[in-house]
Amino acid sequence: MSAVLDVSPTTAPARRPVAAEAVPAKAPAIAIVLLGTGVVGGALLKLLNTPAAASLRLVGAANSRRQQTDPTSLAQRGLREQLNREGAPRDNASLFAALDASGAAAKVIVDATASASLAARHAEWLARGYHVVTANKALAGGDLSGWRALQAALAHGTRYGDSATVGAGLPVLSTLRRLRTCGDALLTLEGVFSGSLSWLFNQYDGSRPFSALLREARQLGYTEPDPRSDLSGEDVARKLLILARNAGFHLGSDEVQVDNLVPAALRTLDVESFLARLEELDAPIASLHAQAQSRQCVLRFLARLNQRGHARVGLVEVPLTHPAARLYGTDNQFALSTTRYNTQPLVIQGPGAGPEVTAQALLGDVLALG
Ligand SMILES: NC(=O)c1ccc[n+]([C@@H]2O[C@H](COP(=O)([O-])OP(=O)(O)OC[C@H]3O[C@@H](n4cnc5c(N)ncnc54)[C@H](OP(=O)(O)O)[C@@H]3O)[C@@H](O)[C@H]2O)c1
């Protein structure tokens, strides 16, 4: 998203802009219910305390176990921690009743979870007149039937804010849609769509075992608690599906070829047992690295879509002149070749993960509804 926000702590008011002691007489322009108060949802709650969010009213918030619709409780800074201790049992109906009661012109459900069961309801919510803003990829990046249900629901005039689902708000989906609106068409797409895999292979030069880097990445919070979620390539595949579908390729989830970096013997272990055997990843990666190095190449975990709609994610060798060979940190990169960007690709690059930028993408999508 391109919204520029001042999130400096010195400008933050003491309280979130919700109805607290006195209920404002005027209905807000935008009312929101937040599902998920984890890393991303927690960062969004902080942004709701900034002047940029002054036109929004939070009327409900929930984690997987509890929820809150009381204005005074919602206004507290410690709402996330409070929900871990107390609150009403989960019940979407009463959250949505709070949205209805707000009288807001735009009623928005923000999904900051990874819940497949919540994602499966997005189309129904849109059809009922709620806008949905999501960091959750499970619907648009899931089964093709879910994607089709989503497109059908959007015919009702409500909107789906999905900037946070790919590149944590880097302007990739918006650019793709804008090109299509202008009659341009995506020919090929290639890039690094995972912040954690970007960091791992930007760092890896054979001098330290891959397992040591993986442990460090986990400690830095770059990987999921179970790093197999990153190493499996499934998350990258979901992002590739979202991009491809938005470009007009109606791919099924089984049509993306995914090269899983986790050896078969480690896939079904519990997390602790897997973490105890990380060294088993070292030899295969070291061997691939040595082969790449002998050809003046480096390893990158790339997502690729070709002109025939063939989609693949996996570890590949790229020459040192390749754009993905010159990435830093947790950068994501998206190289789009289109009918009009056909001599050189249009490249979008930057931090593609992290709670603040992801929450900002959600806020930007919400504000765009005003
Ligand atoms: N972290 C990033 O940098 C990043 C970047 C881009 C996109 N995303 C996406 O953003 C989403 C959230 O990521 P995260 O890192 O914030 O995950 P997280 O820290 O694990 O938080 C997930 C939150 O969802 C809640 N939740 C799960 N099921 C729920 C339900 N049925 N109703 C209400 N709340 C429910 C959890 O509740 P409990 O607290 O009770 O468990 C938790 O608060 C994911 O889809 C992720 O892929 C994350």
Side-chain angles (χ1 to χ4, degrees):
M1 295 300 303
S2 56
V4 178
L5 305 177
D6 178 1
V7 294
S8 97
T10 53
T11 57
R15 292 213 158 182
R16 190 166 299 123
V18 296
E21 293 84 2
V23 178
K26 205 163 152 256
I30 304 176
I32 66 176
V33 154
L34 173 63
L35 304 177
T37 55
V39 174
V40 172
L44 181 61
L45 287 173
K46 284 188 187 146
L47 285 184
L48 293 182
N49 263 322
T50 66
S55 61
L56 310 181
R57 189 186 300 168
L58 181 70
V59 299
N63 63 22
S64 68
R65 294 151 287 128
R66 298 193 186 90
Q67 64 186 47
Q68 189 55 263
T69 53
D70 170 60
T72 307
S73 300
L74 287 169
Q76 300 305 316
R77 273 194 180 278
L79 173 60
R80 186 182 173 198
E81 294 70 28
Q82 183 204 102
L83 275 171
N84 284 328
R85 292 189 312 270
E86 61 196 35
R90 283 288 285 114
D91 168 30
N92 283 340
S94 58
L95 286 174
F96 301 166
L99 271 181
D100 295 337
S102 71
K107 302 177 184 71
V108 190
I109 300 165
V110 178
D111 185 347
T113 77
S115 161
S117 57
L118 285 184
R121 310 286 300 277
H122 288 179
E124 175 201 326
W125 299 339
L126 290 162
R128 284 173 55 185
Y130 302 114
H131 302 287
V132 176
V133 168
T134 183
N136 184 345
K137 297 175 271 290
L139 180 63
D143 290 342
L144 190 54
S145 57
W147 167 260
R148 291 200 165 118
L150 173 60
Q151 301 315 301
L154 289 171
H156 291 85
T158 42
R159 282 158 62 187
Y160 198 59
D162 57 4
S163 305
T165 59
V166 178
L170 289 177
V172 186
L173 282 165
S174 55
T175 301
L176 200 52
R177 287 194 278 256
R178 189 179 162 93
L179 295 176
R180 276 194 94 191
T181 305
C182 296
D184 203 353
L186 185 75
L187 300 176
T188 67
L189 170 65
E190 180 175 284
V192 174
F193 300 176
S194 156
S196 53
L197 292 172
S198 180
W199 188 87
L200 282 165
F201 289 102
N202 295 341
Q203 297 289 315
Y204 186 73
D205 60 5
S207 63
R208 288 175 67 198
F210 187 76
S211 55
L213 281 175
L214 188 54
R215 287 202 171 87
E216 188 180 335
R218 190 168 179 270
Q219 269 171 5
L220 290 167
Y222 295 158
T223 71
E224 294 292 323
D226 182 346
R228 285 173 295 189
S229 306
D230 304 288
L231 298 171
S232 70
E234 291 299 335
D235 192 58
V236 174
R238 272 192 285 276
K239 291 174 185 168
L240 182 56
L241 277 174
I242 293 172
L243 288 166
R245 289 168 177 173
N246 274 283
F249 294 87
H250 290 170
L251 292 182
S253 39
D254 54 351
E255 291 179 87
V256 185
Q257 187 181 331
V258 184
D259 300 341
N260 191 333
L261 291 182
V262 184
L266 305 186
R267 287 179 197 168
T268 53
L269 300 177
D270 62 70
V271 184
E272 288 314 312
S273 310
F274 170 68
L275 293 174
R277 290 173 60 179
L278 284 189
E279 280 69 18
E280 291 177 40
L281 296 167
D282 291 342
I285 302 273
S287 163
L288 290 171
H289 172 74
Q291 288 169 40
Q293 204 173 29
S294 70
R295 290 187 274 264
Q296 285 78 50
C297 289
V298 290
L299 296 175
R300 291 293 182 263
F301 198 87
L302 287 190
R304 299 205 248 204
L305 176 74
N306 73 15
Q307 241 166 309
R308 295 187 306 283
H310 179 69
R312 181 171 184 173
V313 306
L315 197 59
V316 295
E317 288 182 12
V318 299
L320 298 174
T321 51
H322 190 282
R326 299 190 296 269
L327 286 177
Y328 297 96
T330 57
D331 273 4
N332 278 199
Q333 184 181 75
F334 304 85
L336 287 66
S337 296
T338 71
T339 49
R340 294 178 191 141
Y341 287 96
N342 56 12
T343 47
Q344 288 281 56
L346 168 64
V347 180
I348 296 165
Q349 180 176 324
E356 282 83 16
V357 288
T358 308
Q360 176 163 270
L362 292 173
L363 179 61
D365 279 352
V366 172
L367 290 173
L369 297 166

